[in-house]
Amino acid sequence: MGSLIEELEAREAAARARVEALEAETVELTARLEGEREAWSRLRITRETVAEVIADLAGTGHSTCRTHSWSG
């Protein structure tokens, strides 16, 4: 019966190691995801701002300052 208990302990240790590895990977992926979301947001805001400036220049010949409510 001792070898059965040892086998179960070994499997438990292996499962625990897999869980810990996946948890570490999750932390890394979460950080990477947040960084990519920030980059995406900056690019989207830049594109929207450039489109506004181009529209202003095309419509009036010069840029005007206007308030814009960002929804995300």
Side-chain angles (χ1 to χ4, degrees), residues 14-69:
R16 182 178 55 244
R18 289 190 303 271
V19 166
E20 290 171 355
L22 288 171
E23 288 172 340
E25 190 175 335
T26 300
V27 168
E28 179 186 341
L29 287 173
T30 299
R32 287 177 51 198
L33 177 60
E34 183 58 32
E36 291 301 324
R37 281 184 174 147
E38 288 179 27
W40 175 32
S41 177
R42 287 192 312 269
L43 288 167
R44 187 181 68 248
I45 291 167
T46 300
R47 177 184 46 79
E48 291 170 351
T49 302
V50 168
E52 287 180 6
V53 169
I54 289 171
D56 286 350
L57 291 173
T60 63
H62 65 280
S63 180
T64 60
C65 183
R66 60 183 157 139
T67 304
H68 189 282
S69 174

